[in-house]
Amino acid sequence: MARERTRDDARGSAAPARRASDRGKYGRLSRERVLTAALELVDREGLSALSMRRLGAELGVEAMALYRYAEGKDALLDGLVEALYLELEERLSAGEPADDGWREGLHRVARATYDVCLAHPQAVPLLATRMLAVPLARRPLAVLKDHERVLGLLRRSGLDEAGTAAAFRAFTAWLLGYVEVELRPVVDNPDEPDPAFRLGLHRMPAQDLPTLRETAPALAEPGGPEGLSAGLDVLLDRFTGPDRPAPPRR
Amino acid sequence: MARERTRDDARGSAAPARRASDRGKYGRLSRERVLTAALELVDREGLSALSMRRLGAELGVEAMALYRYAEGKDALLDGLVEALYLELEERLSAGEPADDGWREGLHRVARATYDVCLAHPQAVPLLATRMLAVPLARRPLAVLKDHERVLGLLRRSGLDEAGTAAAFRAFTAWLLGYVEVELRPVVDNPDEPDPAFRLGLHRMPAQDLPTLRETAPALAEPGGPEGLSAGLDVLLDRFTGPDRPAPPRR
DNA sequence: AACCGTAAATTTACGGCGTATAGATACACT
DNA sequence: AGTGTATCTATACGCCGTAAATTTACGGTT
């Protein structure tokens, strides 16, 4: 009994040869081609559309062929994170300003990361999930290089190891959190003309949530890069200032 | 031909009755019981262990029975988020200090959120993924109530709607980012006595990543609640101060 | 040009997943 | 005791990740 075929039968069974050469547009597979296609697919249809079979089809290849370039699905997702950081590195080295101060450097990194994330919103959840799943030393090399860059900039501010670590955590937390909050959808029904309905305010109990309802329109406005750098500045002041350990509250 | 059974056959086929009464420990299902069991399962075995079938088994029930209490898997995950925020609400109302200032209130909320997240580290990725998938108005009620509380506290600082929204984003970004960074694993092999191997430093190219390697031990130390509230303080200063719009950088 | 060894991709199969649909069962109320 | 409704089970379908075995393609040697 014949199993259902897709690629071959569709072309007719009389065609004799050249079975594998109509694969992807450019000959053989490669890790880069796999990751690029994966990121494109995620950008286009979201994370849930990314499966080994689907990605294989996208590349004109069976699912198992991908296992030569990523050990499994999880490794593929880590590869996507890597791809994001490679894109970040690209943007950062493009038009690199000879050498400004450490503070400007950190703002540049933050802004570039922000831009990359907004360019691939569907992939951003990976930054949360995979980074929580993979210990520091096992993160993709591009990620570690980014860490190295940020840590180097922070050290140039005169911090010791402990202070650098604390400032690094603050930098990373703010950047990551800001991007995630920026990408949270607040509009419920974009096609609705009435602003209140567009926000879906009718779903919120009016008596329990008065402030939320009145603030919702303002929450629909994005924070933008200005908000990012404003918060970053005060955090850097705080975590690279002279009074290193936090004065205990209360 | 007999299909493979699990529950019934295990008890022997002679047992006459009471088939459904040995379900969960306490009679029938309920949304709360479902969500509690789901959260327990996630805490115990991680998010990837949570499936409809598995959760059903945990409750002594078939998978489809769960669909009466959650519309589907996604709704179940949203329910988990809800459960986290319900636990937050519990902690916040326990021993509520009559009425301190808005700033103390925000610190209390931040600290309680931090505690809840550290108590359920395996569930934290949901805060990133589900919040990016669900528009504001469709978030679980407990989440919206939390928003309401924070927004109310911020308004009490004298901000207008736009300022409140900006400060809310900053608060949320910092809190969420801080928790996620705090939960990122940096130790690679906990059983290793040698600190360098424990961190997995041997996996990092020494020449490309000198600063990372020297900072790694310090990165292994958690930031703790002190770091959270230190950053929160300066952010609140910045986003509720008199100079409302961020002075443009450069 | 024929051959061969290795690399690359396919085939097949297995168990688990989410869930639509339909049927069985339990329970509250008269 | 009987009945209507709420609750749970049974079954099936298509998709998923991936282990193992197999086939195909290709570069280097003769």
Side-chain angles (χ1 to χ4, degrees), chain B residues 144-158:
Chain B
L144 297 182
K145 283 192 178 157
D146 175 73
H147 292 167
E148 174 71 20
R149 186 197 298 261
V150 172
L151 288 169
L153 287 166
L154 285 171
R155 284 232 84 165
R156 280 170 52 195
S157 78

Side-chain angles (χ1 to χ4, degrees), chain A residues 51-53 64 67 72-73:
Chain A
S51 73
M52 304 300 275
R53 291 174 150 94
M64 292 310 294
Y67 280 77
K73 179 83 184 281

Side-chain angles (χ1 to χ4, degrees), chain B residues 3 18 49 73 78 104 115 125 134 163 170 175 180 183 187 221:
Chain B
R3 182 180 131 283
R18 287 182 40 83
K73 179 83 184 281
D78 291 336
E104 286 70 26
D115 289 340
V134 177
L175 179 52
E180 283 178 12
L183 289 175
V187 171
E221 300 297 321

